[in-house]
Structure formats: C-alpha cells, structure tokens
C-alpha cells in the first residue's frame, strides 16, 4: 500500500458547511473568469488554489449525495474534461470540476481533474497535494495514483513514484494507466540497476 503522509485533522461538520459555502463562491468566481473574454489566468489560478484548500473540509461533511446530484456532478465533470481535453481550456475545465464538487464533494474524478489543471499551470506541489486529497476520498482510484506517481517522479521521489505505480497495478490492473505504470516500474528498476553498476566517483 502506498505511503501517504498524514494530514492535519479535518474540521467538524459546522466548519465544513461554512467551507462549502465559501467553495460555492470560489466556483462562481471561476465560472466568471472562464467566461470573461479578458480573464487573467493568474487570477483564476488563485481561485482554483483557494478551492483546493477547501476540499479537505468538504470531504469531512457527512451528508449523503442524492442520485440526482451524482448525475449532475458526472455531467459537469464530463463537460470539464471535454473543455480540458478537446478545447485546451484549462480554466473553463477547472470551473466545471469545481461545479461538480459543489453538488458531489466526493467526486474523485473532479478532484483529480483539478489537480491535473494545477500541474498543467505549473503548480506541481499544489497538484501533488490535491491528488493526495483525492485519495482520501477514493483510496483505490487508479488514475489518481498514476498521476501522483508521475508527479512524484518529476520531483525526484522515485520511491514515492514506485509506490503509487504499484498501487495502480494493484487497484486497477486492467486499465491503460496500469499498463503505463508497469512500464514506469520497469524503467525505474532499470535506473536502479544502472546506478548500482556504476561505481561512485
């Protein structure tokens, strides 16, 4: 099982409800930024980062999500994914991911999507923190483990990356992410062998 660093205690339900209201405001700001012809990415990025800081508090809420809200969240996520993948509209996609989280704060794909946007915007540390938060919501979410492993590898944490790639293979063995994870595991193993054969100078 991959090592995940401990996080501070999450706030109680009242604090989570207050944070949920604040997240709605963040989502509104993001949506305005995404639809404004002259938006500045820096401003929208700050709004995204603010929403990420609130995510752990949202997860603490114990309310059940209705089937209607789950379907609505899935639809908002699908729209956000299309904006990111097909239109290369990172900010618009992130706004939709935030909208999905407003109706279903337990939506791991939406949290994962926000993390990916942060990574694309150059905030790799923010992305890593967000993927870790996503794993609080869905510890067996293979794609989140894969993206987290890739980011940790980019940061030079090969042990952490290996742990995440192994988690992908364990939790989602037949997925395309698992196939890529296996290749990455082999590549890291080859690097380790090469380092062991090369004497220190």
């Amino acid at each position: 099982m991959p090592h995940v660093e401990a996080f501070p205690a999450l706030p109680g339900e009242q604090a989570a409800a207050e944070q949920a209201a604040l997240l709605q405001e963040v989502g509104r700001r993001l949506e305005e930024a995404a639809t404004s012809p002259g938006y500045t990415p820096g401003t929208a990025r700050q709004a995204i980062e603010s929403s990420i800081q609130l995510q752990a508090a949202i997860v603490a809420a114990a309310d059940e999500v209705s089937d209607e809200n789950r379907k609505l969240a899935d639809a908002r996520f699908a729209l956000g994914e299309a904006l990111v993948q097909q239109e290369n509209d990172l900010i618009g996609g992130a706004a939709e991911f935030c909208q999905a989280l407003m109706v279903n704060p337990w939506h791991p794909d939406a949290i994962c999507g926000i993390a990916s946007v942060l990574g694309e915007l150059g905030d790799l540390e923010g992305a890593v923190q967000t993927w870790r938060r996503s794993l609080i919501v869905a510890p067996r979410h293979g794609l989140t483990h894969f993206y987290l492993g890739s980011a940790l590898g980019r940061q030079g944490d090969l042990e952490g990356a290996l742990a995440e790639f192994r988690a992908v293979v364990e939790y989602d063995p037949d997925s395309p992410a698992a196939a890529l994870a296996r290749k990455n595991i082999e590549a890291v193993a080859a690097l380790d062998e090469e380092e062991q054969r090369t004497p220190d100078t």
Side-chain angles (χ1 to χ4, degrees), residues 183-199:
K183 288 182 181 178
N184 288 345
I185 291 169
E186 292 170 6
V188 173
L191 278 174
D192 285 343
E193 286 180 16
E194 183 65 29
E195 285 181 3
Q196 289 175 3
R197 274 189 252 138
T198 306

Side-chain angles (χ1 to χ4, degrees), residues 131-180:
W131 280 312
R132 290 195 190 281
R133 294 292 185 187
S134 183
L135 291 175
I136 294 173
V137 174
R140 293 175 176 265
H141 195 257
L143 199 56
T144 299
H145 282 289
F146 179 78
Y147 285 139
L148 177 56
S150 298
L152 292 174
R154 286 171 61 191
Q155 290 182 327
D157 181 1
L158 294 185
E159 283 187 25
L162 275 175
E164 299 303 329
F165 293 142
R166 290 180 183 128
V168 179
V169 173
E170 178 182 352
Y171 298 145
D172 201 4
D174 299 323
S175 68
L180 290 171

Side-chain angles (χ1 to χ4, degrees), residues 2-187:
H3 171 71
V4 177
E5 293 180 7
F7 286 95
L10 296 174
E13 289 184 20
Q14 181 179 352
E18 292 170 1
Q19 296 287 20
L22 189 52
L23 179 59
Q24 288 180 344
E25 172 62 16
V26 170
R28 185 191 62 74
R29 287 169 52 204
L30 274 169
E31 201 160 50
E32 284 180 0
T35 55
S36 170
Y39 77 80
T40 56
T43 301
R45 179 179 169 199
Q46 290 169 1
I48 293 172
E49 290 171 350
S50 297
S51 74
I52 298 308
Q53 294 169 2
L54 303 176
Q55 185 55 40
I58 303 303
V59 171
D63 295 339
E64 287 295 320
V65 179
S66 69
D67 288 341
E68 182 181 343
N69 279 348
R70 288 181 193 280
K71 290 176 185 175
L72 179 57
D74 288 343
R76 297 307 291 252
F77 168 75
L79 176 57
E81 189 174 42
L83 287 170
V84 171
Q85 299 296 332
Q86 297 171 21
E87 305 293 331
N88 199 30
D89 182 359
L90 299 178
I91 302 304
E96 292 300 327
F97 298 149
C98 285
Q99 292 292 328
L101 289 172
M102 274 190 265
V103 292
N104 179 9
W106 306 90
H107 202 293
D109 291 329
I111 306 171
C112 188
I114 290 176
S116 295
V117 168
L118 286 173
E120 289 292 327
L121 290 171
D123 185 3
L124 193 58
E125 186 56 40
V128 166
Q129 291 174 8
T130 306
W131 280 312
R132 290 195 190 281
R133 294 292 185 187
S134 183
L135 291 175
I136 294 173
V137 174
R140 293 175 176 265
H141 195 257
L143 199 56
T144 299
H145 282 289
F146 179 78
Y147 285 139
L148 177 56
S150 298
L152 292 174
R154 286 171 61 191
Q155 290 182 327
D157 181 1
L158 294 185
E159 283 187 25
L162 275 175
E164 299 303 329
F165 293 142
R166 290 180 183 128
V168 179
V169 173
E170 178 182 352
Y171 298 145
D172 201 4
D174 299 323
S175 68
L180 290 171
R182 288 185 187 95
K183 288 182 181 178
N184 288 345
I185 291 169
E186 292 170 6

